[in-house]
Amino acid sequence: MAPASRSGSGRFTTGTSCVAAGSDTPGQGRKPRRRASFDGLPGRTYVEEKSARRRAVPARSAAIPDTGLILIIGDDPACAAELQEVVEAGGYAVTTAAGSAFAIDAVMRVSPDLVMVDPSISGVHPSTFIRDLKANPRTQDTPVILIANADDPTSRALGLEAGDDLISRPFDPREVLARVERQVTVSKVRMALRESEAKFRSVMESAIDAIISADARGRIRSWNTAAAALFGYTEDEVIGRPLELIIPPTYRQQHRTGVDRVSGGGETHVIGKTVELSGLRANGTEFPVELSLATWFLDDSRYYTGIIRDISERKQAEEKFRSVTESAIDAIISADHSGEIISWNKAATRILGYTEDEVVGHRLEMIIPPRFHEAHRAGMARFTATGEAHVIGKTVELAAIHRSGEELPIELSLSTWTVRDTRYYTGIIRDIRERKRAEDALRTSEAELRERTEELGRKNDALVETLARLNEMQDQLVIQEKMASLGKLSAGMAHEINNPAASAQRGAAQLRAAFTRLDRIHRRLCAVGLTPPQHAEIDRLDTLIVDRALRPAELNAVTRSDREEQLEEWLEELDGEVAGDVAASLVSLGFTTEDLERLRSTFDDAAMPTVVEWVGFTYTVHSLFSEIAVGTSRIVELVKALKTYTYMDQAPVRETDVREGLDNTLIILHNKLKKGVTVVREYEEALPRIQAFASELNQVWTNIVDNAVDAMNGEGRIVVRAFHRDPWVVVQIENDGPVIPREVRSQIFDPFFTTKGPGEGTGLGLNISRSIVVQKHHGEIDVTSRPGQTCFEVRLPVDYTPPEL
């Protein structure tokens, strides 16, 4: 049923008829419409509306180069019908609207490619209508053709002055189609230009680097947000001003010379390259930048676009690296992928005798003994081709040639790094002549050491017996620690399960009462005798209720209160008995008084109270079903997590995904975490599974997470990571609690060591964790700590299977 609207003498319709739509047919229980209803496309941009509407336009005729949507506005049905027939014959889609103050709304609603206006429209003067159309940002690019009688010079003058084009009656079809095609083409070109400009602006504004364009005279033509942040000038402050504004004085003459040279057809020194220069901020400070410059042409005019990046931090890092290498006691030498030396520190001069100027630019073979030259070249070629390295990432003993020709023993640690896809190598070289002499002296004392070892062996036998007794005592303490931990976990799980169980129980009780009420309402609704359209509306409401019960309307407290008050007032006028019972449910469903008015247009006043009450209690029933489902699902999740956490009825050693154990541990500890701890999970997607004592690893995660929560006093952030770093599966549990002092870190894994107060800890949790990781799984566990970041790292071997105990 199409809505109709009236305003004064003007009328508005959609479709292809010039005849105004009338009011609803009387005698069918309908109330008259009280206001216009324009079913536009809220929330869409002008460009999106255009795209959506164009998808609905019929396929264009093969004989027409392009089609579009034409809106004809006027109060002469015969004129509109005649013009519509001509335009549709040309393959265009046509919609019409009667003239009124709502004509602008009609244009915005259908977003046509062209508007054709009869100057005899009522309710608004054509010149006023065209002026308002051009002043509206959403319609300013829509072309307008004015329809005039051939013998009416006033309307013809108006069309030439106010509109984009003019057609005369009687209509010449060829002339009409020619003018329509020209204006539709103009409309689409404007649309394409607007979309292109929007995309370009989006790219500019989303870039993290400054992007600046200038003309051939060096005047700034575009300036993005990143440029404003980098240089301190707004776009309005720089557009049209010379580029020298952001160039330090020492480089300005060089800049002018380069622009003149390139503009005159000379060679370029920086276009198409990335160079390091200096920039000038609005506050007068200079800073290092990296510039990538390109040139382009528009209508034979040259323009330049530069992408500028602040490299202050990189320069500082380079200076820091330089200071580190120069203060190092070991030689630090870097070379490029061809083996040519690019850096040489003072320690390298002290150890190998060459100065920096003597070696930079020369090949590494000058400090490598000749017998190793071939192996050196083969190793670099192999690593470049296959990535296979024999010494990179390791520390090896080799030999080097001193400037004097002497061969000396060295220890080499070699690493590789890349910059812009270019590989470089850095070696740290230590002179081990003194160590070699010490090793020789050590070998001479081996006989004495063996004698003392035998003596220590005898003493060790006496200690073994003592250690066995200590181990027995420690086993008992370990059992006590596990039981205490189990008690804490059980208490937390009981609390976690109790909450959803109580929620489900409460929801079931409320559901019983709601079902009883809904049953009575349903019988009354059946007695009303609904028509087929009313049945269809009931079905639509039922579908909406099921969907909204799962996703209720999200409203703040103030908005919810205001809507409930508005609905209660509306319902009081309808039937005071249902207002207080269903207002809250209708608000959660997303209903407003406008929705109730729409219902009232479908159901009469006798049926309306029952329908509203049915809607409210049906939503209540579905909401209670959702609440019970959430509660019971939470109980199932907790029981499943607890069973998986303990790995009941499974072999002690099994194939394990450490991510599952971490997730189950966090679920088990949820009662402790939820009070103020935020947990962030960072898991590698392709994490390999390992053979492990899964339940004992869960005890490790529990000890570390529990200690982290205690250290943060129950408030802070915990980051749990799991990733593959060959040959390990690595788990990192990081918290932002206080730093662990250095003297405590050296004892943190010792048995019975604790920083907690008496009765709060046994000092065995981390000791047991280390035993599980190191002894049972042949893994490693470490801790690092600095202010605001303490991280426990557990490394478990991928290719190791613990033996069954």
Side-chain angles (χ1 to χ4, degrees), residues 478-691:
V478 168
I479 293 173
Q480 294 178 16
E481 172 70 14
K482 290 183 178 181
M483 293 301 294
S485 177
L486 181 60
K488 289 192 290 185
L489 292 179
S490 299
M493 285 300 294
H495 181 80
E496 283 293 296
I497 292 176
N498 182 64
N499 285 340
S503 175
Q505 184 180 31
R506 182 176 59 253
Q510 295 173 350
L511 184 60
R512 185 181 298 110
F515 254 127
T516 302
R517 179 77 176 269
L518 182 60
D519 184 56
R520 293 198 299 269
I521 297 170
H522 192 267
R523 287 196 295 270
R524 294 203 311 270
L525 188 62
C526 290
V528 170
L530 301 178
T531 65
Q534 291 171 338
H535 272 295
E537 180 65 14
I538 290 293
D539 290 339
R540 185 190 71 80
L541 290 172
D542 190 57
T543 301
L544 175 64
I545 289 168
V546 172
D547 180 67
R548 290 288 174 84
L550 298 175
R551 295 185 296 274
E554 297 181 0
L555 304 172
N556 59 46
V558 175
T559 302
R560 177 175 289 274
S561 177
D562 290 344
R563 286 202 181 173
E564 286 185 9
E565 184 177 352
Q566 292 170 2
L567 292 185
E568 285 178 358
E569 291 177 358
W570 196 94
L571 293 170
E572 285 287 349
E573 296 178 2
L574 178 69
D575 186 345
E577 294 182 2
V578 303
D581 294 338
V582 300
S585 297
L586 293 177
V587 171
S588 298
L589 184 57
F591 264 43
T592 64
T593 55
E594 287 77 8
D595 296 310
L596 293 175
E597 287 289 352
R598 280 193 289 272
L599 273 182
R600 203 170 188 175
S601 68
T602 302
F603 299 95
D604 57 28
D605 289 345
M608 188 66 181
T610 303
V611 171
V612 171
E613 193 174 7
W614 175 84
V615 170
F617 275 91
T618 302
Y619 177 79
T620 299
V621 167
H622 282 284
S623 296
L624 289 171
F625 271 129
S626 299
E627 182 179 334
I628 293 171
V630 170
T632 54
S633 298
R634 177 60 178 165
I635 294 172
V636 171
E637 178 188 10
L638 290 170
V639 172
K640 179 181 177 182
L642 185 58
K643 184 176 180 180
T644 307
Y645 178 85
T646 59
Y647 290 93
M648 296 169 60
D649 303 325
Q650 298 188 32
V653 176
R654 61 185 297 274
E655 189 177 64
T656 304
D657 186 339
V658 298
R659 296 172 295 188
E660 293 178 358
L662 290 166
D663 284 338
N664 288 326
T665 299
L666 294 172
I667 291 174
I668 298 297
L669 293 174
H670 179 260
N671 187 53
K672 190 169 186 177
L673 295 170
K674 69 182 181 180
K675 297 176 182 178
V677 177
T678 301
V679 177
V680 178
R681 295 172 174 85
E682 297 177 359
Y683 297 158
E684 182 178 310
E685 184 175 352
L687 190 69
R689 302 169 74 91
I690 63 173
Q691 295 293 327

Side-chain angles (χ1 to χ4, degrees), residues 685-701:
E685 184 175 352
L687 190 69
R689 302 169 74 91
I690 63 173
Q691 295 293 327
F693 293 95
S695 62
E696 298 199 27
L697 284 181
N698 287 344
Q699 185 178 357
V700 174
W701 315 141

Side-chain angles (χ1 to χ4, degrees), residues 329-343:
I329 62 173
D330 295 328
I332 301 178
I333 304 170
S334 295
D336 62 18
H337 65 282
S338 66
E340 184 176 297
I341 298 170
I342 60 173
S343 71

Side-chain angles (χ1 to χ4, degrees), residues 714-791:
E715 294 184 356
R717 182 173 182 266
I718 293 178
V719 180
V720 182
R721 302 185 184 92
F723 55 91
H724 182 211
R725 185 172 65 203
D726 195 47
W728 310 102
V729 166
V730 182
V731 173
Q732 293 178 344
I733 300 177
E734 177 186 298
N735 70 79
D736 58 2
V739 68
I740 301 176
R742 185 180 299 275
E743 61 274 12
V744 172
R745 266 178 274 164
S746 62
Q747 307 174 68
I748 199 168
F749 295 106
D750 292 347
F752 311 112
F753 177 82
T754 179
T755 58
K756 297 179 180 179
E760 297 180 4
T762 62
L764 289 174
L766 290 178
N767 178 256
I768 293 172
S769 298
R770 183 177 64 175
S771 176
I772 293 171
V773 172
V774 177
Q775 297 178 16
K776 290 191 174 184
H777 294 86
H778 287 194
E780 299 174 356
I781 182 170
D782 291 316
V783 60
T784 57
S785 186
R786 62 185 183 186
Q789 186 186 70
T790 296
C791 181

